[in-house]
Amino acid sequence: MHVVLVKVGEPLPDIQAERQQRMGLLAEELIRRGHEVTWLTNTADRRDGSLFTQNALRYRAESGVRVIAVKSIGYESKVGLRRLVDAYLSAVRISLAFLRLDRVDLCVISLPLLEVAALVGPLSRLRGVTTVVDVRDLYPDNYVNAIPHSLKRLTPLVAWPLRLLAHTALRWPHARYAISDDYLRWARSYGAKPNPADRSIPLPFPGGLESPPERVDRARPLTAVFLGAFNRIIDLAPVVRAAQSLEARYPGQFRFVIAGDGEFRSELVAMAEGCASIEFPGWIGASDVGALLGEADVGLAPYRPAAAWAMGNKYFEYLWASLPILTADTGVGVVLREQSIGDCYSSSQDLAEKLIGMANTDLGTYRQRAHEYFQDELSHGQSHVTMADALEGLVNQRNET
């Protein structure tokens, strides 16, 4: 069958040298099963809104996936007018690309982008195509919540059309998949009636990480690492303040490596100026992730608390490296605490105290529990296989009725 995957913001095969994620792994699995796969996306880099190519792009990856990337205008901030214009323009262009495709049997649309799902989804159903929306983001809620306080009076004006789009996107599909039960409940809160075909399918372990890193033994300093994008769902300010507090109290005994990039990099670097214990190495490529995590003692996951939670790629990477985790997400924090593989912090002061506690604890026990949890719960990494099974079953079921 011909499967169309609609996903903006994931690394594309062959041309973006990053680990394949949910949609990339699903595409490879569907190709392996003999299906034809077309991936529709745009040309904006998910990390900072810049363009990874100036023109629309069409190519066939080595795996056999056909990629069609429509031209994006790019943006500097993920909360701004240009970002919204880019999303709507991408939705129109991706929809036109979808309509130009010949026979399509299955269309899987990932959130984000909501604007794309709200337009492509109804078009897909009108074409008689089995349509699935895969919920990986709490947009528009997290977007609306990130509106600066000075602009809060505009919130109803911004929120109403976005939530209307959410209702449109989530009511049309034949099935809704989500990365956790909480995310699925959130999707249904937008007027989507419970459907037996709806599924909670967790994120797969990201490709490109084969063997866990060798540990680099060091007595001091205790090294806390963050890997990821500097965006609005990540709050690194408490991490910087905790580092400054610890440097003042225990100079040379703690090290913070904040690896990544994004729209808030310059603000964070300025905030951390003068603090010798903080390093900003920039974006770390897949080949260097293992080496950095091998030096680490603790993984940091400073997600802003959300209405729904799911364990994402960042947690997988830290647990793969047998690292205990400190997170600001209270939902995941409960799991970390129950499994004795980490904890949740509520402020920069609380983070500093928990790091002091870890520095005075034998981290071997934490590492062993993190290793066991990863091996028992996450290492199989076959959720993209489960997703492919579910998609084939859904298409077969609809063809029989």
Side-chain angles (χ1 to χ4, degrees):
M1 64 182 176
H2 181 197
V3 182
V4 174
L5 305 179
V6 183
K7 176 69 181 97
V8 171
E10 263 198 27
L12 296 175
D14 299 349
I15 67 169
Q16 290 178 295
E18 297 182 53
R19 301 182 301 283
Q20 292 298 290
Q21 298 178 5
R22 185 179 181 92
M23 201 60 78
L25 293 172
L26 174 63
E28 291 178 357
E29 176 63 20
L30 291 169
I31 288 287
R32 189 188 67 78
R33 298 182 184 208
H35 303 300
E36 179 186 356
V37 177
T38 300
W39 186 339
L40 300 181
T41 185
N42 69 8
T43 58
D45 189 299
R46 78 192 195 286
R47 292 170 293 188
D48 56 10
S50 63
L51 303 182
F52 60 79
T53 179
Q54 295 299 314
N55 300 303
L57 180 68
R58 290 172 176 258
Y59 72 98
R60 189 172 293 275
E62 289 185 9
S63 63
V65 178
R66 178 172 56 160
V67 177
I68 301 175
V70 304
K71 182 175 175 57
S72 171
I73 63 172
Y75 51 88
E76 294 182 357
S77 172
K78 292 187 177 181
V79 179
L81 180 60
R82 189 176 178 90
R83 165 67 175 74
L84 288 174
V85 171
D86 181 74
Y88 284 110
L89 186 60
S90 293
V92 171
R93 289 175 172 171
I94 289 174
S95 296
L96 292 174
F98 174 76
L99 291 174
R100 293 189 192 104
L101 296 174
D102 293 331
R103 177 190 58 83
V104 178
D105 302 291
L106 171 65
C107 182
V108 182
I109 310 165
S110 182
L111 294 185
L113 289 172
L114 175 64
E115 293 83 357
V116 174
L119 192 53
V120 177
L123 290 174
S124 177
R125 283 208 58 158
L126 287 172
R127 287 187 64 176
V129 176
T130 301
T131 307
V132 175
V133 169
D134 182 36
V135 179
R136 298 173 51 183
D137 193 287
L138 303 180
Y139 187 86
D141 290 16
N142 54 9
Y143 182 91
V144 172
N145 293 339
I147 294 175
H149 183 73
S150 59
L151 301 176
K152 285 297 182 184
R153 286 179 297 177
L154 299 178
T155 297
L157 182 64
V158 173
W160 180 81
L162 292 178
R163 287 176 172 148
L164 180 61
L165 286 175
H167 279 282
T168 302
L170 294 167
R171 288 174 65 91
W172 273 90
H174 295 98
R176 298 154 202 85
Y177 295 168
I179 60 175
S180 75
D181 291 339
D182 260 15
Y183 274 52
L184 187 56
R185 281 190 289 271
W186 174 87
R188 288 171 172 169
S189 74
Y190 274 93
K193 296 180 180 179
N195 182 340
D198 292 348
R199 297 287 300 274
S200 172
I201 302 176
L203 289 169
F205 181 64
L209 297 176
E210 302 300 335
S211 300
E214 295 184 9
R215 297 233 51 85
V216 177
D217 292 328
R218 58 170 74 226
R220 283 286 187 262
L222 182 138
T223 300
V225 166
F226 168 80
L227 288 171
F230 304 167
N231 56 36
R232 291 184 182 270
I233 67 170
I234 295 292
D235 188 6
L236 283 162
V239 175
V240 172
R241 288 194 294 268
Q244 292 167 331
S245 172
L246 291 170
E247 179 66 16
R249 297 161 62 188
Y250 306 100
Q253 295 190 40
F254 292 88
R255 174 182 176 230
F256 291 77
V257 182
I258 303 177
D261 208 343
E263 57 183 307
F264 298 111
R265 176 181 171 82
S266 58
E267 295 176 24
L268 288 166
V269 171
M271 182 180 179
E273 186 176 1
C275 184
S277 62
I278 303 178
E279 302 171 21
F280 290 96
W283 199 263
I284 300 295
S287 60
D288 298 319
V289 167
L292 177 58
L293 294 182
E295 299 178 9
D297 298 299
V298 182
L300 299 176
Y303 290 102
R304 297 180 187 275
W309 69 272
M311 192 169 283
N313 291 331
K314 203 176 311 301
Y315 298 102
F316 292 178
E317 292 170 348
Y318 295 155
L319 293 171
W320 165 76
S322 300
L323 294 179
I325 301 169
L326 291 176
T327 183
D329 187 325
T330 53
V332 177
V334 171
V335 177
L336 299 179
R337 194 178 299 118
E338 288 177 348
Q339 299 296 326
S340 300
I341 54 177
D343 208 342
C344 180
Y345 64 88
S346 58
S347 65
S348 59
Q349 182 179 355
D350 190 30
L351 173 59
E353 293 302 321
K354 284 184 167 57
L355 286 168
I356 292 171
M358 286 190 166
N360 294 321
T361 301
D362 178 10
L363 290 176
T365 302
Y366 273 115
R367 290 173 184 152
Q368 181 62 31
R369 286 292 302 128
H371 173 76
E372 291 172 355
Y373 185 80
F374 177 79
Q375 292 296 323
D376 294 342
E377 303 293 336
L378 304 175
S379 64
H380 306 294
Q382 297 299 304
S383 65
H384 58 291
V385 176
T386 301
M387 192 170 182
D389 290 339
L391 291 169
E392 287 180 332
L394 179 63
V395 173
N396 291 335
Q397 182 182 25
R398 292 197 66 243
N399 288 341
E400 292 171 358
T401 57

